[in-house]
Amino acid sequence: MAEETGLFIYGIVPSDVEPTPDAPGIGDPPGEVAAIRHGELAALVSEVSLTEPIGRPADLTAYQELVDGTAAVAPVLPVRFGTVVTGPDAVADLLEAHHERFAAALDEFEGRIQYVVHGRYHEPELIAEILADNPAAAELADQVRGQPEAATRPQRIRLGEIISQAVELRREAENRQLVDALGPLVVASAPRPPSNELDAANAAFLVERDREDEFVTAVEEYAERRRDLLRTRLLGPLAPYDFVSAHQLVE
């Protein structure tokens, strides 16, 4: 019996975009990436088995590398990871049904790229700062220091609550400070939820390509100013995941 297959869709691009020849698709072995064109649009796809699960870490990596690599040279509308259709006709139907919306979005994101700035607190420095600013927390810390956990459980719970609230307030202020610092250099910004209790700042930025160097320099300056309290990472350039996707335009 022939293996059942479908087409995994990575993203929507202008029709003149060609897949990178050596870019592997998802699957084991990796599928060959192709472009299915309709009018001014194309969809980047690869064949996948319908009997094998999709979602291995290697699959997600292949998806991101292909979409981000495409975004580095052309506008792309990411399609939600895991989207599989029956075949080329289904892809063509998708492109035809939403042609105007997809084309307009691609025009909007021409020459623009996404970056993510993520900052995480150095825990010892953060705790020291919170205790210095909050006498009640400092007193609780003195009460539990060196004492058995069971005997000081109420104090530890209260101390944890105070620290958690303080981190949340600092996180809100840090994100505002980050967006204020970078706002003049970007087209748009989008907050991201924290991925860790020590996250300080986490936001996506849409940047014009001709301002990338200026933007990166500003991030480096921000990171240097906050280096005693934060470890800052810059991720990108990326596809505009936080600002548009094909699914947003369809739904």
Side-chain angles (χ1 to χ4, degrees):
M1 177 184 294
E3 182 180 34
E4 288 187 86
T5 62
L7 290 178
F8 182 102
I9 308 179
Y10 298 86
I12 310 300
V13 295
S15 61
D16 59 353
V17 172
E18 294 287 348
T20 303
D22 57 350
I26 71 163
D28 186 17
E32 181 178 350
V33 179
I36 294 179
R37 295 177 171 83
H38 183 85
E40 300 174 351
L41 306 175
L44 299 179
V45 304
S46 68
E47 192 173 85
V48 292
S49 169
L50 296 181
T51 60
E52 296 293 330
I54 296 173
R56 302 173 307 142
D59 292 335
L60 182 57
T61 297
Y63 164 80
Q64 291 174 330
E65 288 182 351
L66 179 66
V67 175
D68 293 340
T70 302
V73 297
V76 57
L77 308 179
V79 172
R80 184 181 299 151
F81 178 79
T83 299
V84 177
V85 298
T86 54
D89 289 345
V91 176
D93 289 345
L94 174 69
L95 297 179
E96 181 176 9
H98 306 284
H99 192 279
E100 289 187 10
R101 289 185 179 183
F102 288 166
L106 288 170
D107 286 343
E108 180 183 351
F109 286 89
E110 177 73 44
R112 295 173 175 177
I113 202 77
Q114 175 174 316
Y115 281 89
V116 171
V117 180
H118 179 258
R120 183 163 292 176
Y121 288 115
H122 300 305
E123 186 171 13
E125 289 78 2
L126 172 65
I127 299 301
E129 186 177 281
I130 291 173
L131 296 183
D133 291 345
N134 191 315
E139 182 178 351
L140 286 168
D142 287 339
Q143 292 175 11
V144 304
R145 188 175 294 113
Q147 300 301 314
E149 184 173 338
T152 56
R153 187 176 303 278
Q155 294 95 323
R156 291 177 186 273
I157 291 174
R158 179 57 186 150
L159 178 59
E161 292 172 344
I162 293 175
I163 290 175
S164 178
Q165 292 169 1
V167 171
E168 186 172 345
L169 290 174
R170 279 166 167 76
R171 181 183 296 130
E172 292 175 0
E174 195 72 45
N175 272 302
R176 286 196 301 271
Q177 182 175 329
L178 174 66
V179 171
D180 288 346
L182 301 178
L185 302 175
V186 306
V187 177
S189 61
R192 288 183 145 205
S195 58
N196 182 281
E197 61 184 7
L198 290 175
D199 276 3
N202 196 10
F205 298 91
L206 189 65
V207 183
E208 298 280 2
R209 289 186 188 279
D210 58 7
R211 303 200 75 176
E212 277 188 89
D213 291 345
E214 193 178 357
F215 173 80
V216 171
T217 297
V219 174
E220 291 172 345
E221 292 172 351
Y222 166 84
E224 180 61 26
R225 290 195 302 270
R226 305 296 287 150
R227 65 189 301 268
D228 290 340
L229 190 60
L230 306 181
R231 177 175 65 88
T232 303
R233 294 188 303 149
L234 176 63
L235 307 177
L238 308 170
Y241 302 102
D242 288 77
F243 300 97
V244 68
S245 75
H247 279 81
Q248 290 171 330
L249 299 171
V250 169
E251 292 171 350

